[in-house]
């Protein structure tokens, strides 16, 4: 009697969608490097923006489809490192730092090392049993996609105001150093994933999102500059908010309702 071949294990296509988004983000990051090597600066920045959008979607889609997995979490972290830790500093290197000699490469490596440390720390922090629920309202340091977009701020500004001031090795090195330092710092920054919209404000928020998309399409570089400026302003505000939560927790003012409203997030970006 002929032996029947064992059936291959099959997965529902829904379980593959989050990983497909993650791989797409990785490819977008690699494509950004390709664009930069051919002096296609606007296309390279756009590719990083696409990678950030896809990276923000994969975790949410995984939770909606109940498709979270250890494999997906590891793949997401590796994709983040390439798309946000390697591609953006390489874009700056091709744009202006290649002319700075060895010192330019040192700053590129510095940012990439900071990104690797930032992602490693985040992955280990997920297993911290002493972390309080309210602390999930905040990231420790600037998250990976935000850091990647912020170091390209001089490049985006040069699209609007020209290269005379912003296309400078000193400017690029300054952003690589400061943003890299913020990523590995203990400085709390808002995790906007926990933001909730009251039912009465859903319609105005949707209208605002529509206007935001319209501005991004019609004036993308101006809008990205405004978003970057708003995020930078939010960093000191997040520190004050963190201290308020800390004081409330120390005084025992947090109740079960506060904790119930905080969703513990398993993926970062």
């Amino acid at each position: 009697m002929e032996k029947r071949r064992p059936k291959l294990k099959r997965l529902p296509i829904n379980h593959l969608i989050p990983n497909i988004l993650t791989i797409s983000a990785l490819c977008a990051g690699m494509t950004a490097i390709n664009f930069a090597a051919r002096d296609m600066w606007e296309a390279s920045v756009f590719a990083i923006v696409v990678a950030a959008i896809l990276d923000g979607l994969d975790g949410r889609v995984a939770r909606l489809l109940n498709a979270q997995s250890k494999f997906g979490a590891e793949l997401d972290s590796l994709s983040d490192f390439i798309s946000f830790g390697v591609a953006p500093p390489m874009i700056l290197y091709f744009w202006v730092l290649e002319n700075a000699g060895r010192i330019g490469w040192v700053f590129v490596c510095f940012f990439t090392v900071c990104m690797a440390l930032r992602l490693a720390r985040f992955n280990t922090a997920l297993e911290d049993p002493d972390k309080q629920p309210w602390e999930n309202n905040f990231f420790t340091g600037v998250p990976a996609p935000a850091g990647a977009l912020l170091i390209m701020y001089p490049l985006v500004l040069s699209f609007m105001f020209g290269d005379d001031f912003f296309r400078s090795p000193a400017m690029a090195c300054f952003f690589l150093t400061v943003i890299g330092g913020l990523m590995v710092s203990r400085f709390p920054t808002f995790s906007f994933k926990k933001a909730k919209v009251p039912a009465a404000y859903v319609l105005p928020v949707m209208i605002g999102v529509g206007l935001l998309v319209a501005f991004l399409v019609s004036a993308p570089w101006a809008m990205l500059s405004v978003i970057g400026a708003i995020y930078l302003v939010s960093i000191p505000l997040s520190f004050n908010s963190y201290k308020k939560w800390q004081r409330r927790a120390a005084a025992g003012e947090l109740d079960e309702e506060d904790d119930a409203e905080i969703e513990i997030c398993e993926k970062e970006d």
Side-chain angles (χ1 to χ4, degrees):
M1 186 175 178
E2 188 179 349
K3 257 187 181 181
R4 295 183 63 184
R5 292 182 179 180
K7 288 185 177 180
L8 296 175
K9 185 179 179 181
R10 299 180 181 181
L11 289 173
I13 190 66
N14 285 355
H15 286 198
L16 298 178
I17 292 175
N19 291 339
I20 290 172
L21 292 174
T22 301
I23 291 172
S24 299
L26 171 59
C27 291
M30 292 298 296
T31 302
I33 299 177
N34 180 275
F35 284 145
R38 292 185 285 159
D39 295 343
M40 300 170 63
W41 309 120
E42 294 189 1
S44 64
V45 174
F46 180 74
I48 296 297
V49 172
V50 170
I53 293 172
L54 291 172
D55 182 68
L57 290 175
D58 59 4
R60 289 165 174 79
V61 170
R63 287 188 287 275
L64 285 172
L65 299 178
N66 194 26
Q68 304 101 313
S69 67
K70 180 67 174 175
F71 175 85
E74 293 298 329
L75 179 62
D76 181 72
S77 186
L78 293 171
S79 173
D80 285 353
F81 178 68
I82 298 297
S83 298
F84 307 129
V86 175
M90 285 303 300
I91 293 171
L92 287 184
Y93 180 75
F94 287 128
W95 183 54
V96 70
L97 290 177
E98 195 171 10
N99 301 324
R102 296 177 181 177
I103 190 67
W105 186 247
V106 168
F107 283 93
V108 168
C109 291
F110 171 79
F111 181 85
T112 300
V113 169
C114 288
M115 182 65 75
L117 295 173
R118 193 264 177 288
L119 292 171
R121 183 178 65 188
F122 177 82
N123 291 340
T124 56
L126 292 176
E127 302 170 3
D128 184 2
D130 298 325
K131 192 173 184 180
Q132 300 299 313
W134 65 267
E135 292 182 276
N136 290 284
N137 286 317
F138 303 90
F139 291 132
T140 301
V142 170
L149 293 171
L150 285 174
I151 65 164
M152 293 191 296
Y153 209 44
L155 185 56
V156 172
L157 291 174
S158 74
F159 297 155
M160 297 185 296
F161 304 111
D163 292 343
D164 293 340
F165 177 74
F166 295 104
R167 193 167 187 171
S168 159
M171 178 77 72
C173 291
F174 173 79
F175 272 82
L176 286 168
T177 304
V178 172
I179 303 304
L182 283 173
M183 287 195 307
V184 296
S185 71
R186 306 298 300 181
F187 208 93
T189 58
F190 285 126
S191 172
F192 294 104
K193 295 178 180 183
K194 308 299 181 295
K196 294 187 178 182
V197 180
Y201 295 101
V202 169
L203 185 59
V205 167
M206 296 301 292
I207 293 172
V209 170
L211 289 173
L212 175 63
V213 172
F215 277 115
L216 280 172
V217 171
S218 59
W221 311 127
M223 200 63 217
L224 283 175
S225 299
V226 171
I227 293 172
I230 292 172
Y231 184 81
L232 289 172
V233 170
S234 77
I235 293 178
L237 298 178
S238 66
F239 180 80
N240 290 333
S241 178
Y242 182 88
K243 288 300 182 183
K244 287 179 182 178
W245 276 95
Q246 204 173 42
R247 286 194 295 268
R248 288 181 63 192
E253 296 176 0
L254 297 182
D255 52 30
E256 292 182 1
E257 185 177 348
D258 289 318
D259 289 343
E261 290 180 355
I262 300 171
E263 176 189 359
I264 298 180
C265 182
E266 295 182 357
K267 285 185 69 203
E268 176 178 3
D269 311 298

